[in-house]
Amino acid sequence: MNQVSEIARRAAGAAPALAAMSVADRVALLDAIADALDGAADELVAVAGEETALPDARLRGELARTTAQLRKFGVVVAEGGYLEATIDHADPGDVPPRPELRRMLRPIGPVAVFAASNFPFAFSVAGGDTASALAAGCPVVVKTHPGHPRTSARTAELVAGALTAAGAPAGAFQTVAGFDEGLALVDAEQIEAVAFTGSLRGGRALLDRCTARAKPIPFYGELGSLNPVVVTPEADAARGAELAAGLAGSFQLGDGQFCTKPGLVLVPAGSALEAALPASVGTGAPRMLTETIATGFETGRDRAAAVPGVEVLAGGGSATAPTVLAADAATLLAHRELLEEVFGPVTVLVRYADPAARDAVLEALEGSLTMTLHAEPGEDVVGLAEAMASRAGRVLFGGWPTGVAVSWAQHHGGPWPATNTVFTSVGAMAVRRFLRPIAYQDAPASVLPPALRDDNPLGILRRIDGVLRLP
């Protein structure tokens, strides 16, 4: 894997210059990529449509999200708060006596990004991991996904061209393709972190590989998630049919190939939602993104449907048909395989007879990216909300989890197996994954980075002697 080794060396060579770029220049890099992708939108959407069979409107919306998040990371860089600049002046009277300490976050170095299958733009070559790493000042090497090779290659050409034209150092952005090449990239000594969006099995293998290196490195994985939903009896009685329509739209969106698909829904026994849901389930056999995904979906769905006590309420007539399964809480607790994520258009309704049965299911759940509660105004849901917050990175009160806003307050992560860290992979603070803290003790002014200088040339928010100070 000499080629991968050379790519990693080039990335390491670019790291100091990229980290040293001014705020304005780094923002310009991100904007240049966004402009290049927007300018080639028709071409990119056409190629991606051929490779993935995703509809034109979906791909155009996803590409717009991709370029918007690139520009939003430029805003994050310009705002500067992500650096967490902190200054403690010397205090000989403190216990123990305190020297002058100035702390901030700095780029960790080259990052390996593994592109996802289900978002050929937003979680792929120029997706959120790439954007946040570049925003943090880290060179990126993307391992492209085999599900959309031509889309990846063309996107990479546009990104590389835009970066070169905007003055990025050579080696700031590169790609590799192939299974063995991906493993070699993880093993390359110059790589300082790995970001991955994909299956639990694949992510766990990469996590183990990262920690088995002679020099272990961080692995930031977005892996598997059931995204459970709880419907209270009051909500079901008030709007069961409406909730059924919303659930049908959410679990079938993108043919169920979203990491935030609601895969498990707790409903009261005899629910109106259950009665209305089958009428909203499609009868076709959608083409999945890859043959591997299609095979995995069929196998997982059929395995769940074969569990004693599980009913097929809708679908299941063809290999990739959207499917609704149902079981009571006791069946689920006796057959924990029903808690395994099946990637694709299937959801499992779990009937609970009383709050105790509902809570027993909640206790059995592993971590998820999201959990959703549908309740009526005036219900006491404090306990439910706390149970959900202990098992998810994002708790929704109403609505459906598919669709992840890119914003300052967003968190796209969750307890294992949703992710393996406390960090988000979407939103402004995704940059935090690719930064490490450094403290300067009694440093001369001449060596201090701009963020820590007394005159605050970046004009950023800082904490000085324990007090947050506006510029």
Side-chain angles (χ1 to χ4, degrees):
M1 295 296 170
N2 291 336
Q3 182 184 13
V4 175
S5 296
E6 179 57 30
I7 285 172
R9 282 193 291 270
R10 285 200 297 267
L18 185 61
M21 292 186 79
S22 71
V23 169
D25 287 343
R26 200 180 301 169
V27 172
L29 297 183
L30 298 168
D31 287 344
I33 298 172
D35 291 343
L37 297 179
D38 281 340
D42 290 343
E43 175 192 2
L44 290 171
V45 167
V47 174
E50 293 172 4
E51 290 190 308
T52 66
L54 293 172
D56 185 272
R58 150 73 195 272
L59 289 169
R60 289 188 183 278
E62 185 188 329
L63 183 57
R65 170 208 171 110
T66 303
T67 57
Q69 69 188 7
L70 281 157
R71 295 187 177 96
K72 286 179 179 179
F73 279 118
V75 174
V76 172
V77 171
E79 189 266 351
Y82 77 99
L83 294 170
E84 298 181 12
T86 305
I87 298 173
D88 288 336
H89 290 107
D91 183 359
D94 199 0
V95 182
R98 186 176 75 209
E100 181 182 272
L101 292 166
R102 299 180 183 232
R103 176 189 180 275
M104 65 175 290
L105 302 179
R106 62 180 292 162
I108 59 172
V111 173
V113 170
F114 280 69
S117 63
N118 56 337
F119 285 89
F121 298 125
F123 286 83
S124 189
V125 171
D129 287 340
T130 295
S132 55
L134 289 173
C138 298
V140 173
V141 183
V142 178
K143 190 275 179 187
T144 60
H145 197 279
H148 40 264
R150 289 189 294 127
T151 306
S152 298
R154 183 59 181 137
T155 303
E157 290 175 357
L158 291 165
V159 173
L163 287 173
T164 298
F173 171 85
Q174 301 166 93
T175 63
V176 301
F179 181 83
D180 291 337
E181 287 77 3
L183 297 181
L185 182 62
V186 174
D187 293 340
E189 63 178 341
Q190 296 85 357
I191 296 299
E192 297 289 350
V194 172
F196 170 86
T197 299
S199 69
L200 176 59
R201 179 182 177 185
R204 182 57 196 249
L206 290 177
L207 169 60
D208 291 345
R209 200 171 186 103
C210 287
T211 57
R213 288 176 27 142
K215 173 190 172 185
I217 57 174
F219 173 80
Y220 299 111
E222 194 257 88
L223 308 173
S225 186
L226 273 179
N227 305 299
V229 177
V230 176
V231 178
T232 67
E234 291 82 356
D236 182 79
R239 47 195 172 92
E242 175 188 333
L243 292 172
L247 172 60
S250 186
F251 94 84
Q252 295 175 99
L253 185 65
D255 299 320
Q257 298 170 111
F258 284 4
C259 54
T260 50
K261 179 205 73 177
L264 189 77
V265 184
L266 282 78
V267 297
S271 74
L273 184 156
E274 179 179 334
L277 183 58
S280 298
V281 176
T283 58
R287 173 186 152 184
M288 308 298 273
L289 289 164
T290 68
E291 291 184 8
T292 300
I293 291 175
T295 300
F297 168 71
E298 183 178 8
T299 301
R301 178 200 59 191
D302 292 349
R303 181 175 61 247
V307 169
V310 172
E311 302 173 45
V312 179
L313 296 184
S318 65
T320 60
T323 305
V324 177
L325 306 177
D328 60 29
T331 297
L332 180 134
L333 293 172
H335 298 276
R336 299 300 177 92
E337 61 266 37
L338 292 174
L339 296 176
E340 296 175 7
E341 180 190 18
V342 178
F343 193 68
V346 61
T347 195
V348 179
L349 300 187
V350 180
R351 306 166 181 136
Y352 63 89
D354 52 40
R358 177 201 65 200
D359 293 347
V361 173
L362 291 177
E363 285 289 334
L365 296 178
E366 293 187 302
S368 278
L369 294 168
T370 74
M371 290 190 75
T372 302
L373 176 61
H374 285 282
E376 288 300 285
E379 286 194 72
D380 181 1
V381 296
V382 173
L384 275 174
E386 178 54 34
M388 291 178 168
S390 70
R391 291 170 175 78
R394 177 163 57 107
V395 180
L396 293 78
F397 297 86
W400 300 96
T402 39
V404 183
V406 182
S407 71
W408 288 93
Q410 184 59 274
H411 180 68
H412 190 61
W416 180 269
T419 56
N420 67 303
T421 76
V422 299
F423 296 106
T424 180
S425 62
V426 177
M429 286 303 99
V431 297
R432 184 61 182 83
R433 298 172 296 171
F434 310 123
L435 299 160
R436 70 173 180 86
I438 180 170
Y440 296 84
Q441 182 170 324
D442 294 329
S446 60
V447 306
L448 290 174
L452 297 179
R453 294 176 188 165
D454 284 336
D455 59 349
N456 193 9
L458 299 183
I460 62 174
L461 177 72
R462 305 191 297 183
R463 185 180 293 277
I464 301 177
D465 294 329
V467 179
L468 284 174
R469 300 291 179 85
L470 295 173

